[in-house]
Amino acid sequence: MKKFLLLFIALVFSNIQAQERPKLVVGIVVDQMKMEYLYRFSNDFSENGFKRLMKEGFTFHNAHYNYMPTYTGPGHASIYTGTTPSVHGIVGNNWFNKGLGKEMYCTDDNSVTTLGNGTDYEGKMSPKNLLSTTITDELKLATNFKGKVIGMSLKDRGAILPAGHFADWAFWYSKTGAFISSTYYGNQLPDWVTQFNNEKHYEKYLNTTWELFKPKEVYNESLNDNNPYEGKLYQKIPFFPYNMKDMYANNDAGVLRSTPFGNNLLADFAKRAIEKESLGKDNITDFLTVSFSSTDYIGHLLGPRSIELQDTYLRLDQTIADFLTYLDKTVGKNNYLIFLTADHAGAENVTYLKDNKYNVDQVNTRKFTQDLETYSNDKYGENLILNYSNSNVFFNKENIEASNLDIEEVKTSFKAFIYKQDFVRRVYTDTEILNNSGNDIYLNAIAKGYDPKQNGELVILEKPGYLEYGATGTTHGSPYTYDTHVPMLFFGWKVKPGASYNKKEITQIAPSLALKLKTTLPNGTEAIILEEILE
């Protein structure tokens, strides 16, 4: 009797412990997803994908990024660290680092090598440039490294930065068609990854035709097919159907990224990871990060009003519905917690806006750089510009000192010249940025994205609607709402259905998860939380 009682107490205690955290957390990032897409495409979504997340979970309708630049690398880092580039150090995807005096990439690491069937460069990646801990790192610490953390994406940065420093694995897609990793995570790929790659799942998507998912009349929320604001997809006229086999034959397996089937392949891989790594199978919480990148590739190439983009979201809706059903069956409805957001949103195509009488234009980055250099030569007799990129102006301080010039006078002079450019809204010096009071919302956004060891001496804010991009497709990067307004959905374990229209910030996700999971807060976060998802 005593033995039975002890066993009963142990079981009860085990169940109580199990309820302190979900068995599995799944972080979903949809690259370049505007919140508006959940509204615009709503009539065409199923009831079991995005709509299920919104109806059964909690929807924050007014969530924003709180810094500039709104790019993929900083976005993923900010979601998972709960802080901004000024703290976590990922100030772009690629950027000129004035401390190092050279260009760098957010996840570059020459000390590691490729694991799997990828090129040498594709695998020289790790989270070493990320300065802050992530919520995934804190979960590893909280579980004494027993909880598994796995990150995956078509993009290296979309897999590596969310998974954090202590991840068991991060996997990303190679142009060979394989998912690869680096020696940062281990000496060889897990057997199940090798098997998945050997099965060449990408071929079933590349040996097909990309046709409309639904009847053409459904796509009345988009512009006509082959409209003048779309670019070409691997030299193909933007017009359905697309012969995937032909595109593959003339390129490599990387073409899959720019089609909705890249998202399908990633979902296939995610299911295999859950199965083979036994994620969510015990009472120690695991964390899977999944970043869907095809939406970004297609958005850049074809723009936010293209039928191709709408078709991609209708297909992604089905992919998410299928994934939720899979989690229900394998992990259990009340045992997993999901959040879904985006790493940034995206602007309208500038030509489309101009054609509809909005006085905006493209910014010719090359010409502007030349204009800066010409002004410098005319004013000072030499080129004092070291680099212009990501809206940052870097000066050659050695030349300035050698010419006995005052750096503050040089900055003031260039600032006055830059203000004469039609596309410029504001110009801020590094001194102004570091002395930011928070009263200027745009200066505040720039300050939160600014690292004095890496960024330039001047930062330019373009006027709303102006883009440093071509005539077709779109891009992102500004602190304006068209680039900052993204979905923020929570669903599953101990999340009550509901909605909020109060403004929230993307950096609230990680600390809120930390409190919900009862872990230490990521070390760079300001710890402003989402009370609505906490009990």
Side-chain angles (χ1 to χ4, degrees):
M1 183 68 181
K2 185 178 178 182
K3 218 181 260 190
F4 174 80
L5 184 59
L6 289 173
L7 180 61
F8 176 76
I9 292 171
L11 286 171
V12 170
F13 181 74
S14 175
N15 286 332
I16 292 171
Q17 290 290 96
Q19 290 305 305
E20 288 184 357
R21 295 189 183 119
K23 291 188 175 183
L24 177 65
V25 182
V26 181
I28 298 176
V29 177
V30 183
D31 207 323
Q32 202 186 123
M33 185 176 186
K34 298 154 70 86
M35 182 65 190
E36 180 241 352
Y37 294 152
L38 288 178
Y39 308 141
R40 197 202 308 175
F41 305 142
S42 177
N43 290 339
D44 306 320
F45 286 147
S46 71
E47 294 298 318
N48 301 313
F50 290 119
K51 285 184 178 179
R52 182 182 172 196
L53 291 176
M54 295 177 76
K55 288 178 180 177
E56 297 180 26
F58 199 98
T59 302
F60 293 95
H61 288 268
N62 196 19
H64 292 264
Y65 277 85
N66 52 351
Y67 62 83
M68 171 183 154
T70 42
Y71 295 145
T72 297
H76 283 83
S78 298
I79 292 166
Y80 283 87
T81 62
T83 189
T84 63
S86 62
V87 177
H88 63 58
I90 305 299
V91 297
N93 295 331
N94 300 276
W95 67 92
F96 183 82
N97 184 317
K98 73 180 178 188
L100 300 176
K102 66 177 184 179
E103 296 278 345
M104 65 179 292
Y105 178 66
C106 59
T107 53
D108 270 346
D109 187 350
N110 286 324
S111 71
V112 299
T113 56
T114 303
L115 287 181
N117 182 26
T119 65
D120 287 343
Y121 173 73
E122 285 179 306
K124 286 184 175 295
M125 305 287 164
S126 84
K128 77 167 190 177
N129 299 320
L130 182 65
L131 303 180
S132 306
T133 62
T134 60
I135 180 57
T136 46
D137 287 330
E138 298 302 340
L139 181 66
K140 291 293 287 188
L141 292 169
T143 61
N144 201 20
F145 284 78
K146 293 177 182 177
K148 290 183 178 179
V149 170
I150 295 176
M152 58 180 62
S153 177
L154 298 184
K155 295 181 179 180
D156 45 46
R157 56 190 181 270
I160 292 168
L161 298 172
H165 304 86
F166 307 141
D168 295 89
W169 286 101
F171 304 107
W172 52 97
Y173 186 66
S174 165
K175 60 184 179 180
T176 64
F179 280 96
I180 63 172
S181 190
S182 81
T183 50
Y184 177 87
Y185 301 98
N187 296 321
Q188 64 180 35
L189 289 177
D191 290 342
W192 67 265
V193 177
T194 301
Q195 181 181 349
F196 185 91
N197 288 336
N198 289 341
E199 292 166 1
K200 297 186 176 180
H201 289 256
Y202 66 94
E203 287 187 344
K204 69 183 177 185
Y205 298 115
L206 290 174
N207 291 322
T208 188
T209 301
W210 179 12
E211 299 178 342
L212 288 175
F213 185 59
K214 293 191 175 185
K216 193 166 186 177
E217 56 268 21
V218 167
Y219 298 81
N220 56 1
E221 293 87 5
S222 301
L223 298 178
N224 292 333
D225 207 2
N226 192 20
N227 66 70
Y229 314 111
E230 298 178 290
K232 290 185 177 180
L233 187 62
Y234 291 96
Q235 305 306 312
K236 299 296 179 184
I237 295 173
F239 194 80
F240 281 100
Y242 289 91
N243 187 325
M244 296 288 298
K245 197 170 185 178
D246 184 42
M247 285 196 295
Y248 176 36
N250 290 296
N251 296 278
D252 55 47
V255 300
L256 194 69
R257 295 185 178 104
S258 301
T259 75
F261 306 118
N263 293 333
N264 292 98
L265 180 67
L266 186 67
D268 294 341
F269 190 62
K271 291 178 190 174
R272 185 68 64 91
I274 291 169
E275 176 192 352
K276 296 299 182 180
E277 294 286 346
S278 297
L279 301 181
K281 293 298 184 184
D282 57 28
N283 291 334
I284 302 174
T285 303
D286 302 315
F287 206 127
L288 176 67
T289 77
V290 181
S291 179
F292 291 107
S293 307
S294 291
T295 44
D296 183 69
Y297 288 107
I298 294 166
H300 276 297
L301 284 170
L302 299 165
R305 299 284 167 178
S306 65
I307 286 180
E308 288 84 353
L309 189 77
Q310 182 173 355
D311 194 69
T312 298
Y313 275 96
L314 299 189
R315 289 174 179 273
L316 180 58
D317 177 64
Q318 289 297 124
T319 299
I320 288 174
D322 177 69
F323 190 55
L324 293 177
T325 299
Y326 176 83
L327 290 173
D328 289 343
K329 292 179 179 177
T330 57
V331 182
K333 278 191 176 182
N334 299 316
N335 294 323
Y336 65 89
L337 171 65
I338 282 181
F339 72 86
L340 183 147
T341 188
D343 54 347
H344 52 75
E348 293 287 353
N349 175 267
V350 176
T351 311
Y352 174 64
L353 296 179
K354 285 174 64 178
D355 287 349
N356 285 279
K357 301 181 181 180
Y358 185 9
N359 185 25
V360 293
D361 209 345
Q362 287 102 19
V363 179
N364 188 325
T365 307
R366 181 177 295 180
K367 181 182 182 302
F368 177 59
T369 304
Q370 291 172 346
D371 290 344
L372 286 172
E373 293 173 357
T374 299
Y375 173 77
S376 183
N377 286 316
D378 291 346
K379 173 78 175 177
Y380 298 102
E382 61 181 319
N383 180 21
L384 301 179
I385 300 298
L386 187 61
N387 182 274
Y388 173 70
S389 55
N390 291 353
S391 300
N392 281 241
V393 178
F394 298 82
F395 291 114
N396 190 322
K397 291 187 176 180
E398 290 183 4
N399 286 2
I400 291 173
E401 291 174 2
S403 300
N404 293 317
L405 295 170
D406 179 74
I407 182 65
E408 294 302 322
E409 186 279 326
V410 170
K411 286 188 286 186
T412 300
S413 175
F414 272 89
K415 182 176 178 179
F417 169 74
I418 293 169
Y419 263 122
K420 295 177 181 177
Q421 312 306 307
D422 185 58
F423 67 89
V424 172
R425 183 77 180 100
R426 296 275 194 278
V427 187
Y428 299 102
T429 67
D430 51 358
T431 304
E432 291 170 324
I433 294 168
L434 294 175
N435 290 332
N436 164 52
S437 67
N439 293 326
D440 179 337
I441 61 170
Y442 297 118
L443 175 56
N444 192 44
I446 288 170
K448 286 180 177 292
Y450 187 87
D451 180 350
K453 291 186 177 181
Q454 301 188 92
N455 286 102
E457 285 73 42
L458 299 177
V459 177
I460 298 170
L461 175 66
E462 295 162 357
K463 291 178 181 176
Y466 281 74
L467 297 182
E468 294 192 23
Y469 207 65
T472 58
T474 193
T475 192
H476 47 85
S478 81
Y480 298 118
T481 54
Y482 52 76
D483 283 338
T484 66
H485 190 196
V486 296
M488 189 190 288
L489 314 178
F490 287 81
F491 172 90
W493 183 80
K494 291 191 176 182
V495 174
K496 295 178 180 178
S500 169
Y501 291 87
N502 294 325
K503 186 178 181 181
K504 304 295 183 181
E505 296 180 339
I506 207 73
T507 48
Q508 293 177 259
I509 292 176
S512 300
L513 285 173
L515 294 185
K516 197 168 182 66
L517 299 176
K518 296 180 171 59
T519 71
T520 301
L521 294 162
N523 60 18
T525 186
E526 294 179 16
I528 302 172
I529 62 163
L530 304 165
E531 293 186 19
E532 295 88 340
I533 66 160
L534 300 174
E535 291 190 343

